[in-house]
Amino acid sequence: MSKIYPIGIQNFEKIRRDGYFYIDKTALVYQMVKSGSYFFLSRPRRFGKSLLVSTLEAYFEGKRELFEGLAIEKLEKDWTKHPILHIDLNTEKYESLESLENILNDTLYKWEKVYGTEPSETSLPLRFKGIIRRAYEQTGNRVAIFVDEYDKPMLQAIGNEELQKAFRNTLQAFYGAIKTMDGYIKFAFLTGVTKFGKISVFSALNNLIDLSMDERYAAICGMTEKEIHDNLEEDLLELAGKQKMSYEEVCRELKTCYDGYHFVENSVGIYNPFSVLNTFFKMKFGSYWFETGTPTYLVELLKAHHYDLHCMTHIETDADILNSVDSASTNPIPVIYQSGYLTIKNYDQEFATYQLGFPNREVEEGFMKFLLPFYANTDKVESPFQIQKFVREVRSGDYESFFHRLQSFFADTPYELIRDQELHYQNVLFIVFKLIGFYVKAEYHTSQGRIDLVLQTDAFIYIMEFKLEGSAEEALSQINEKNYAQPFAADPRKLFKIGINFSSLTRNIEKWIVEE
């Protein structure tokens, strides 16, 4: 293997000194540091935010030797060494206010060992301000401040309003120290997954330039198609050989699986860097980003808001909503978008609205697999096998087994989940058919109150009509009356018309009728 891939390595110095593969982002780094002092960037997890922070840190430490051969080497002339204050909120599990205070206290204590302390500095913000001032006075150079995963405590407290308020008040005052010490600060950079709204953590720090939806910085994290072809061409050829695919097929599969992130309208598509590097390291495709864990707060949000999962395939929203997660989290969409499970698909300039959708197959399939155990009667271990069985049954024409299995998905569903029964039943069907649709062709024709579905395999076509509190006979006659089978009249495959009724009394599929 010609390259050492930096999987899980977020330290720029380690990557450069130990000869790991690196895509040069330093021209953008230079552009940023020369254009302002206070910046914020939100990107999904495992997208290279920590590496970007580490790169900026090395630059402000004046470590010119690490940048040899990179774009910034020719651009920067000074290489001044600045004192660095780096806060990483990624390491703690935030279950109480003490956990946040402990990590801030520990960070301040380490800095105080270097820059000293004053007896009057009794609170966390006062200690932080004192450290900034002394770091400048003792070195003669202004300070560079980095906050990695600033929102971790807030995200872990989603759903617990009291704790979130406590975290917010503590962080607000703490970050507020940065603004009051402007004369001592050269540069400050904060990153996180989400951007909490104006009224929250940043209200005291309202001088931040937000790069999250700035087209110039769309590619500052992640990989573009051009970067992949410029840096990983040999690897693509090797992957094609290992997977017994043509070069074109491999490029297409890589794009389908991992491309498709758009952090701003009409911008270049971004590939998930973590998944791409893992694919080349293992020389096979996989759900790498998903395997590192999806936060359960996303599901809690969807369930708490009785969200119609169907809507996730065609959400329309505006920049204000996308850009801001309110601390009460009354809308699950901004959190899901900023966490990387949805991305910008289209932009309507006239109304300034964004259309959102899943970025790629890895995310869409992974998210549906992740949701299934939370909605249906199946556990995390079993659910992938259940989907395999569904697909086999559909491919072999065994609709009886298929519907019995579907019945088991609705059985024993916790009562609290089914406050809105119709929605729950639609959500389960949506997840199941979406997952089956990755392996057989599925088309949905939906209107209020029902899911109509066409499933197609090499040998069979299934046309299904679902009714809630109607009858299976009614559903079947609707298929015939509305000529749903008409488009397949000349098709040689065997066609099944299936009417299905769902009963609110049994909270399950009550009956299905099949006409061949």
Side-chain angles (χ1 to χ4, degrees), residues 100-118:
L100 174 60
E101 288 172 341
N102 288 345
I103 203 162
L104 293 176
N105 181 47
D106 182 59
T107 305
L108 292 168
Y109 178 69
K110 284 177 185 139
W111 294 338
E112 283 165 345
K113 278 167 77 174
V114 180
Y115 299 113
T117 180
E118 294 284 340

Side-chain angles (χ1 to χ4, degrees), residues 217-318:
Y217 297 95
I220 198 159
C221 291
M223 300 178 183
T224 65
E225 197 157 294
K226 185 180 186 309
E227 285 171 333
I228 288 173
H229 288 295
D230 288 350
N231 294 275
L232 292 156
E233 203 64 12
E234 288 167 26
D235 313 63
L236 281 166
L237 290 164
E238 189 184 337
L239 181 61
K242 286 271 190 340
Q243 290 302 314
K244 300 182 173 47
M245 295 164 88
S246 71
Y247 171 78
E248 289 71 24
E249 284 169 337
V250 150
C251 293
R252 202 162 45 242
E253 184 68 7
L254 200 71
K255 193 175 179 63
T256 303
C257 290
Y258 311 125
D259 186 19
Y261 287 92
H262 294 273
F263 299 110
V264 58
E265 66 272 13
N266 310 321
S267 65
V268 61
I270 303 292
Y271 284 71
N272 184 321
F274 186 76
S275 297
V276 170
L277 290 174
N278 271 284
T279 300
F280 287 128
F281 178 71
K282 294 183 177 161
M283 279 294 149
K284 66 176 191 184
F285 294 97
S287 285
Y288 298 113
W289 186 66
F290 245 90
E291 284 159 11
T292 61
T294 294
T296 47
Y297 63 72
L298 292 177
V299 187
E300 300 306 326
L301 274 178
L302 289 168
K303 285 184 350 196
H305 297 293
H306 295 283
Y307 191 78
D308 182 349
L309 296 175
H310 236 280
C311 297
M312 284 184 84
T313 53
H314 47 80
I315 292 164
E316 288 217 351
T317 185
D318 64 19

Side-chain angles (χ1 to χ4, degrees), residues 389-390 393-394 397-411 425 429 432-433 436 451 453 455 462-466 472 479 496-502 508-515:
K389 287 167 187 163
F390 274 131
E393 286 153 5
V394 170
D398 181 4
Y399 53 77
E400 287 295 323
S401 301
F402 176 87
F403 281 109
H404 284 299
R405 186 176 312 286
L406 199 51
Q407 274 182 323
S408 74
F409 268 45
F410 288 105
Y425 129 83
L429 290 179
V432 169
F433 290 131
I436 293 171
I451 292 185
L453 185 82
L455 288 180
Y462 301 82
I463 296 172
M464 301 183 195
E465 175 70 30
F466 290 84
I479 292 174
F496 298 109
K497 299 175 196 172
I498 308 176
I500 304 116
N501 185 48
F502 194 92
N508 211 322
I509 291 172
E510 187 180 48
K511 186 179 178 185
W512 59 89
I513 307 180
V514 182
E515 193 180 285

Side-chain angles (χ1 to χ4, degrees), residues 40 56 76 144 214 262 318 356 400 489:
F40 170 76
L56 282 159
E76 183 56 79
D214 186 324
H262 294 273
D318 64 19
L356 305 183
E400 287 295 323

Side-chain angles (χ1 to χ4, degrees), residues 465 467 469-479 481 499 513:
E465 175 70 30
K467 288 274 178 231
E469 293 305 359
S471 71
E473 289 81 4
E474 217 180 304
L476 185 61
S477 63
Q478 185 172 324
I479 292 174
E481 280 160 24
I513 307 180

